[in-house]
Amino acid sequence: MKKGYVKNIESQTLGNENFRKVLYTGNQIQLVTMTIQPGDDIGEEVHDGTDQFFRFESGSGEVWIDGVCNKVESDFGVIVPQGAKHNVINTGSTPLKLYTIYGPPEHLDGFIAKTKAEADAAHEHWDGVASE
């Protein structure tokens, strides 16, 4: 039986058309791809017990961390420490495609939201169940 997650993360990220797609959930870490449409954002949030890493594969935007604006584009990486108020905004004219790693997990394993509205309506949070 296969263990862990081993795939081309760039192709997984660029091929993702969903707002949020949970690819893998460990007990202390979670891998998620996201596609943010032009003019949209993830919504301002704070993760009190979770650090978060973003890797941008295509598009351009802004990552706000505790009131500070950081311009991002393809190949940028960003770490948001636990407790920081943050938002990711697509300021470009094409979809902003990224993957994010949460430590510990934030979302239900296997969760997929096609749109931001669907993700917002779900109000789901990790239930402690890992991918394996």
Side-chain angles (χ1 to χ4, degrees), residues 12-31:
Q12 293 291 309
T13 303
L14 293 173
N16 176 49
E17 297 299 325
N18 297 294
F19 175 75
R20 179 178 293 129
K21 181 178 182 182
V22 177
L23 300 179
Y24 185 85
T25 304
N27 290 309
Q28 296 298 317
I29 199 166
Q30 184 172 61
L31 177 61

Side-chain angles (χ1 to χ4, degrees), residues 84-100:
K85 186 184 298 184
H86 62 283
N87 195 3
V88 178
I89 304 166
N90 182 345
T91 58
S93 58
T94 62
L96 182 60
K97 295 197 173 234
L98 62 110
Y99 66 87
T100 184

Side-chain angles (χ1 to χ4, degrees), residues 3 5 12 14 22 31 42 46-47 55 62 65 67 70 73 77-78 85-87 89 98-99 101-102 107 109 124 127:
K3 288 295 216 175
Y5 180 88
Q12 293 291 309
L14 293 173
V22 177
L31 177 61
I42 63 170
V46 175
H47 304 301
R55 162 68 185 200
E62 298 173 348
I65 304 173
N70 303 277
E73 58 187 40
V78 174
K85 186 184 298 184
H86 62 283
N87 195 3
I89 304 166
L98 62 110
Y99 66 87
I101 298 172
Y102 296 93
H107 300 286
D109 184 48
E124 53 75 45
D127 59 3

